[in-house]
Amino acid sequence: KSITCSDGVRLAMKCWRNFDDGVPSRRKILCLHGWLDNAASFDRLAPLLLRSLSRGSDDDDDDDHDADDATEIIALDFPGHGLSGHKSPDGPPQLLAEYAYYVVEFFDAVGWGSPFEESTTSTAGTSTAARDKVIVIGHSMGAGVAVVLGASFPEWCASLVLLEGAGPLARNADDAPRHVRAACRRRIRSNRLLFPDDGGGGASSSSSASSSRAKIYENVDAAIEARLDTARRMPGDQYLSAEAARDMVLRATVPATPTTDPSSSSPTDPSFDPSTPVAFRHDPRLQWPSLQYYTREQVESFYRRVAHPVCLLTAEDGWPVDARAEEAVREVLRPDCAERLKGSHHFHADPDTVGEVVERVRKFLGEWGL
C-alpha cells in the first residue's frame, strides 16, 4: 500500500487491522521508524499490539471484537527508506521537520487530519474525542518526528509512545556554522558521484541513480550481516537480533542485477532466489550530515507544546543519552510514563524483548482510556 505526496514522492506503508472492510476504525495507531530502518521494524510489535488491544484476544470462544475496539495500525516508510521513493536531486534537504511534513501528507491523504484546519485546542481531548485521534509510536529518529508532529499538530494526536528516543537531536547553537560547512562539502562531493550525468530528472531518477551506485552484497545473508555489524558499531553496547535484521533488510534491498522473472524481483517475494546478489535501495544521502540541527532551546519548545500523554520506553543496552538531554526530558517534556526495559536499541523489533515492550504500551494506553 502506498500514497503519492503532493511533490510526487511515493510513501509506502504496512498495515494491520482487526476489522473488516466497511467498519470504521476507532483506534488509529501510526508507527514511525528510525534512521535507515523501515516499516518492517514493526513487523513483530504491530500484530502483537493489535492482539493485546482486542478485548476478545483472551477469550478462545469469542473471536468477535467489539466495534469500539476496531484498531488500525499503519507503519510508514519515510522517504528514502524501505519501499518509499527518493527525493529528487534538487529537493530540499532531509531535515527532521521534512519527515514530519511527509507524515502530515499522510494524515491528509488518508483522512486522519487536514493541515488546513485551524487547531481549536492544544490539549488531548476537548475539540475532538481522544479515541478519534491518533496514537503515534515512534522509534529513535521516528520518536523525534513524533514529538515535532505532536507539538505542531496537537489536535491530531491522542498520545505519543516514544521508543529509544525522546525527541529531536539537539546541538549547540554555536556549532551551526561548522554543520553548514560540513554539509555543503559532503553534498557537493557526493553529488558528483551520485549524479554525474543527471539533468535533474526528478525523484525517480534519483532513486535509480542511488541504487545503481550502491554497494553490492553477495546475497541477502551478506546484507543481513552488514546490518548486524552496523548495529554493533553504534554507540554504547548495542546489538540487533538476526531476525529483526532480516525483517528490515528484506524490505530495504533489491537485486543488484535485473532478474529474468519480474514476479521474483524483490527479496520479500517467496520465490526470490536467496543466492542473488543484492544492494540496499535506501537513499545514500541519508548518511550526509544535516545542514541544520535543532538547538536545545528549540527542542525544549517542542517539549512544552506536547499536551498529550507521553510514554517513554528506553532499553538497558540502548542508545546513550547525555545528562543534559535527560534533564530536559525529565523537567520539560515530563513523560507520564518513563521506564527502562531489557534489550537494546531495537528492543521493539527483537523477538526476545518485543513482548515486554508491547505489554508496557498496552498498559499505558489502558491507563489513559485509549
Side-chain angles (χ1 to χ4, degrees), residues 48-335:
L48 285 176
L49 182 60
L50 191 64
R51 278 199 298 273
S52 72
L53 292 174
S54 301
R55 290 177 178 170
S57 60
D58 295 329
D59 189 346
D60 294 336
D61 298 324
D62 182 11
D63 292 329
D64 296 326
H65 305 306
D66 190 293
D68 198 44
D69 274 329
T71 300
E72 181 175 19
I73 301 177
I74 296 180
L76 289 182
D77 283 333
F78 284 125
H81 297 76
L83 301 181
S84 286
H86 296 187
K87 300 185 70 175
S88 64
D90 60 345
Q94 302 195 55
L95 306 174
L96 191 73
E98 276 284 295
Y99 292 126
Y101 161 76
Y102 285 103
V103 177
V104 173
E105 284 262 16
F106 163 80
F107 268 77
D108 191 36
V110 302
W112 284 9
S114 170
F116 304 108
E117 293 180 0
E118 292 298 323
S119 173
T120 57
T121 180
S122 60
T123 62
T126 55
S127 66
T128 306
R131 289 296 297 272
D132 290 334
K133 298 186 178 186
V134 180
I135 298 162
V136 182
I137 300 177
H139 169 247
S140 194
M141 181 186 77
V145 178
V147 168
V148 171
L149 179 78
S152 304
F153 292 88
E155 69 275 19
W156 290 355
C157 303
S159 66
L160 302 182
V161 176
L162 310 178
L163 307 176
E164 270 288 282
L169 176 66
R171 297 292 180 89
N172 294 324
D174 287 345
D175 291 333
R178 180 170 59 84
H179 294 315
V180 171
R181 179 182 176 86
C184 289
R185 296 176 68 179
R186 177 66 181 273
R187 184 173 178 178
I188 292 173
R189 184 184 304 116
S190 298
N191 274 348
R192 289 170 179 168
L193 297 174
L194 289 173
F195 316 113
D197 303 314
D198 186 72
S204 60
S205 69
S206 173
S207 180
S208 61
S210 300
S211 60
S212 67
R213 294 172 174 83
K215 178 179 179 179
I216 296 176
Y217 294 87
E218 182 180 0
N219 50 42
V220 169
D221 286 340
I224 292 172
E225 181 55 39
R227 182 65 184 87
L228 291 169
D229 184 59
T230 298
R232 289 190 287 265
R233 289 187 284 107
M234 290 292 104
D237 298 320
Q238 295 186 48
Y239 56 86
L240 177 67
S241 70
E243 295 89 344
R246 175 172 290 274
D247 291 341
M248 292 185 283
V249 168
L250 291 181
R251 191 172 176 87
T253 52
V254 293
T257 56
T259 60
T260 55
D261 180 7
S263 66
S264 61
S265 60
S266 169
T268 58
D269 294 326
S271 59
F272 183 79
D273 182 356
S275 65
T276 302
V278 298
F280 282 99
R281 69 172 308 278
H282 62 252
D283 191 334
R285 296 173 293 176
L286 299 176
Q287 301 181 72
W288 294 0
S290 179
L291 274 170
Q292 183 179 10
Y293 295 93
Y294 289 117
T295 64
R296 297 184 187 276
E297 291 79 7
Q298 289 174 311
V299 171
E300 292 180 8
S301 175
F302 285 116
Y303 284 171
R304 283 191 289 271
R305 285 164 176 77
V306 172
H308 342 284
V310 175
C311 174
L312 172 62
L313 302 179
T314 56
E316 291 178 351
D317 296 319
W319 196 282
V321 180
D322 66 77
R324 188 172 176 183
E326 285 187 334
E327 181 183 6
V329 170
R330 184 174 58 254
E331 301 296 332
V332 186
L333 180 62
R334 301 173 64 185

Side-chain angles (χ1 to χ4, degrees), residues 311-360:
C311 174
L312 172 62
L313 302 179
T314 56
E316 291 178 351
D317 296 319
W319 196 282
V321 180
D322 66 77
R324 188 172 176 183
E326 285 187 334
E327 181 183 6
V329 170
R330 184 174 58 254
E331 301 296 332
V332 186
L333 180 62
R334 301 173 64 185
D336 302 275
C337 163
E339 292 191 21
R340 188 175 297 274
L341 307 179
K342 294 180 181 179
S344 190
H345 189 57
H346 288 82
F347 62 166
H348 69 301
D350 290 335
D352 291 342
T353 52
V354 62
E356 187 176 5
V357 175
V358 167
E359 175 56 27
R360 192 60 196 89

